[in-house]
Amino acid sequence: MAEVPDMAEHAARSLHALPEDVAARLPQLLETMVLAGSGLQLHATLDRIVETAAGLTGARYAAIGVLNDRQDGLSDFITHGIPPDRRTLIGKLPDGHSGILGALIDDPVPLCLDDLTRDPRSVGFPPNHPPMNTFLGVPIRVGDEIFGNLYLTEKADGAGFSPYDLHMVTVLATEAGIQIGNARLYEATRQRERWIDGSVAVTTALLSGADAEEALTVVAEQARRLADADAGMVLLPSGHGGLEIAAVAGGSQDLLGVVVPPESPAVDQVLAGEPVFVDEAAADPKMITKSARSYGPSMLLPLQSGDRVLGALATPRLRGEQPFTRDEKTLATQFASQAALALMMAEAQRDRERLAVYEDRDRIARDLHDLVIQRLFATGMMLESAQRQSVVPEVQTGIGRAVDELDVTIQEIRTAIFALQQEPDEHPSGLRTRVLREINMAAVPLGFKPACRFIGAVDTLVDELTGKNLIAALRETLSNAFRHAHASRIDVTVDAEALLPEERKGVRLTVADDGVGIPEGGRRSGLKNLKRRAEALGGDSRHGPGPDGTGATVIWEAPY
């Protein structure tokens, strides 16, 4: 933040240095800058800046190329003036590794050309690209760092860019640097808050009694959501070396059980406690599994607490998506460490609870042996003595039967004592408990606790496979509501007495919120996952607005 006054002072010097004819247009510049800086969302700020630059100079086309973390190419490219259908036809956006855009990255100084196609550094345009001749490029600085470059082409009047245009765009780029710095700081803060909330949610879920398998799924889902990845996976050491995928959230469930062989360079690196970052998993020699061919930018992070590496956490994005930023890599690595610590704490807690159960069972067994059996044995001896003293045959027969019953009872108690001393079978938590655990976990990032209602005997009617898929569907739906709905209320209903098509009995999960609804043309990967998961069980999933026409309602159902 200490850099902001220096930047403002630099901007003021730039204003004083403007020629008189340029200064006469300062009110327009200031007005447009107020518009360009009216927000803290980075992408929205960039959209306003390119629109402002085009309006100030009369350029038909404007763009901002955002530099990647290595400062050797572009990670994003925001355009103005090119219709969406034309952008689709053009295809892949420039990466800044060559041509005029690459020259501006290598030498970040203002560049003005009357005909960029005749410049020796030009590499031409891709098919379907609109013709461009005049060009003006100015670097955007955030403090001492080059954030990217502002490009303008093709003035509407057909003339070239004037010194006035260069002055105005230079001032705009300087002020834009301040706005971008604020927006980046705001987004970085929000991003850190989301990752911290995710770590809290994981710790809350793991320490609330989740079994081992469910704990790993919770970690995978939270990592997928926070990293905005296609999938989240937890990998554990396999018996034959390498790492086995033990839990999957999102992506393809076929990945469950896949083993990354020990000869993979990524396995050695992550088991040594070092994270693995790749920009294109499909082409990276460290990623040798077939499943890696479907993915692009990927992180493989050690689940490490102290000197112990429990396994690894993988968050791959699809091919063609944006690489992970430096901040995302740092936050994800910290999240993996926190998740590893939470897993160890949960394991220690389960060990303590198991030890407490063992101690109770030992105490009960001792009491049964030392008190109950001894008393029953003494009672049997007293009855046998009474039997010998009795002269009535009916009494002797009755006492004999009672003694036999006592002997049987003593044997049954001894069997129970033996069972108490055996390893208890671990049973997964009931469906009701798991639903409530997911709701409590979602309450951390949401800022409020969703309401929940159960219909029917959900623990006894719904089988384990359907229950696991319902929990995954609930987790996906609550995650979507948090990321997209901006809701203030969410209602969850689990109906174990639902009647599905063709008179089939089943369970129906309904999640309704009062948010902004499901936008047209938005991403549908989460909803597709829900439908695919339901159809695999013979069920279905659908969505629509709430009963009053606002918000969104997602229904997931499957037979049991």
Side-chain angles (χ1 to χ4, degrees):
M1 295 298 294
E3 297 170 348
V4 172
D6 294 338
M7 294 163 63
E9 183 180 346
H10 178 68
R13 288 198 302 269
S14 299
L15 292 175
H16 286 301
L18 290 176
E20 184 176 344
D21 60 330
V22 176
R25 300 292 299 276
L26 282 181
Q28 180 188 358
L29 174 63
L30 296 176
E31 182 180 352
T32 54
M33 278 312 308
V34 170
L35 177 64
S38 58
L40 289 173
Q41 298 297 328
L42 181 56
H43 217 282
T45 299
L46 298 179
D47 284 334
R48 284 191 289 267
I49 290 171
V50 291
E51 182 180 357
T52 298
L56 276 174
T57 60
R60 291 179 181 174
Y61 309 109
I64 288 180
V66 180
L67 293 185
N68 59 27
D69 287 343
R70 297 185 296 273
Q71 301 278 300
D72 62 356
L74 301 179
S75 64
D76 200 1
F77 198 75
I78 297 90
T79 64
H80 171 78
I82 300 179
D85 54 346
R86 176 64 71 89
R87 280 194 60 166
T88 302
L89 290 174
I90 294 173
K92 185 179 179 181
L93 295 173
D95 55 19
H97 290 155
S98 60
I100 299 297
L101 304 190
L104 263 175
I105 294 174
D106 295 336
D107 187 17
V109 295
L111 179 63
C112 188
L113 301 172
D114 291 331
D115 189 348
L116 63 87
T117 62
R118 296 184 178 181
D119 191 283
R121 295 166 292 185
S122 176
V123 293
F125 298 111
N128 303 305
H129 196 284
M132 296 179 179
N133 293 293
T134 55
F135 175 86
L136 176 60
V138 176
I140 298 177
R141 299 177 183 272
V142 178
D144 296 328
E145 176 188 351
I146 299 293
F147 172 81
N149 293 294
L150 175 60
Y151 316 110
L152 299 160
T153 62
E154 292 301 289
K155 291 196 67 165
D157 58 8
F161 290 99
S162 66
Y164 153 75
D165 295 320
L166 176 60
H167 279 294
M168 296 295 280
V169 173
T170 301
V171 173
L172 178 63
T174 303
E175 296 294 326
I178 297 174
Q179 302 299 337
I180 291 170
N182 291 337
R184 291 177 78 182
L185 180 61
Y186 174 76
E187 288 207 353
T189 302
R190 290 291 303 274
Q191 190 178 48
R192 287 189 181 92
E193 288 177 353
R194 288 194 299 270
W195 282 92
I196 291 172
D197 286 346
S199 296
V200 172
V202 165
T203 304
T204 301
L206 299 189
L207 297 184
S208 63
D211 57 45
E213 181 181 350
E214 191 174 349
L216 298 179
T217 303
V218 167
V219 172
E221 172 56 33
Q222 286 293 322
R224 182 195 70 85
R225 178 181 67 82
L226 293 168
D228 196 22
D230 179 68
M233 293 173 272
V234 175
L235 299 89
L236 300 179
S238 67
H240 304 288
L243 292 170
E244 180 179 354
I245 299 177
V248 178
S252 173
Q253 294 300 310
D254 294 340
L255 294 171
L256 197 63
V258 170
V259 175
V260 183
E263 56 267 22
S264 168
V267 170
D268 287 339
Q269 188 171 335
V270 79
L271 289 180
E274 300 176 9
V276 178
F277 304 113
V278 297
D279 289 339
E280 191 66 32
D284 196 286
K286 291 192 291 292
M287 314 300 281
I288 64 175
T289 60
K290 291 182 179 179
S291 56
R293 299 173 185 171
S294 303
Y295 294 112
S298 302
M299 295 189 288
L300 189 64
L301 310 167
L303 287 169
Q304 182 176 13
S305 181
D307 295 331
R308 181 181 175 189
V309 178
L310 306 179
L313 177 64
T315 56
R317 288 175 176 169
L318 293 176
R319 298 180 67 177
E321 294 195 359
Q322 291 293 330
F324 292 100
T325 65
R326 183 168 53 246
D327 287 344
E328 286 176 323
K329 293 174 182 177
T330 300
L331 292 170
T333 303
Q334 293 171 350
F335 171 84
S337 298
Q338 180 66 29
L341 178 60
L343 285 169
M344 291 187 64
M345 291 171 61
E347 182 182 349
Q349 177 174 289
R350 286 193 296 271
D351 288 342
R352 288 194 299 270
E353 292 172 351
R354 192 179 294 113
L355 179 60
V357 170
Y358 289 161
E359 290 175 346
D360 274 348
R361 289 159 68 99
D362 287 342
R363 179 184 55 78
I364 294 170
R366 286 196 305 270
D367 289 347
L368 286 174
H369 181 272
D370 296 342
L371 300 177
V372 179
I373 287 183
Q374 296 300 329
R375 288 185 178 182
L376 288 175
F377 186 74
T379 301
M381 293 180 63
M382 291 171 60
L383 287 173
E384 287 179 341
S385 176
Q387 183 185 35
R388 289 192 296 270
Q389 295 175 9
S390 175
V391 295
V392 181
E394 291 81 359
V395 173
Q396 290 180 336
T397 302
I399 292 176
R401 285 198 298 268
V403 171
D404 291 341
E405 288 295 328
L406 283 177
D407 287 339
V408 172
T409 301
I410 289 172
Q411 290 301 320
E412 290 177 346
I413 293 175
R414 282 175 172 165
T415 301
I417 291 172
F418 179 78
L420 285 170
Q421 293 171 339
Q422 303 306 302
E423 182 80 16
D425 294 331
E426 291 191 7
H427 299 287
S429 304
L431 180 58
R432 180 188 297 263
T433 300
R434 285 181 282 170
V435 168
L436 294 175
R437 183 181 297 133
E438 290 297 325
I439 288 174
N440 288 334
M441 182 174 63
V444 175
L446 285 170
F448 64 91
K449 184 176 179 180
C452 185
R453 184 166 68 101
F454 296 95
I455 300 174
V458 296
D459 286 338
T460 57
L461 291 175
V462 183
D463 61 82
E464 182 63 21
L465 177 61
T466 304
K468 281 186 176 181
N469 280 276
L470 184 144
I471 291 297
L474 173 62
R475 187 179 296 131
E476 179 80 38
T477 308
L478 291 175
S479 176
N480 288 341
F482 164 69
R483 288 187 291 175
H484 307 301
H486 306 293
S488 60
R489 178 179 175 83
I490 298 177
D491 294 306
V492 177
T493 303
V494 180
D495 183 359
E497 298 178 351
L499 195 61
L500 307 186
E502 302 177 1
E503 302 296 316
R504 296 177 299 165
K505 294 181 179 180
V507 60
R508 178 177 294 127
L509 169 69
T510 305
V511 181
D513 65 65
D514 63 352
V516 298
I518 301 174
E520 293 293 334
R523 290 182 64 180
R524 292 290 191 272
S525 58
L527 295 173
K528 288 179 181 178
N529 284 338
L530 292 176
K531 193 169 185 68
R532 185 168 59 245
R533 191 181 290 276
E535 289 177 345
L537 298 172
D540 194 15
S541 178
R542 55 191 181 275
H543 62 276
D548 59 353
T550 62
T553 299
V554 176
I555 297 174
W556 185 94
E557 57 190 21
Y560 51 70

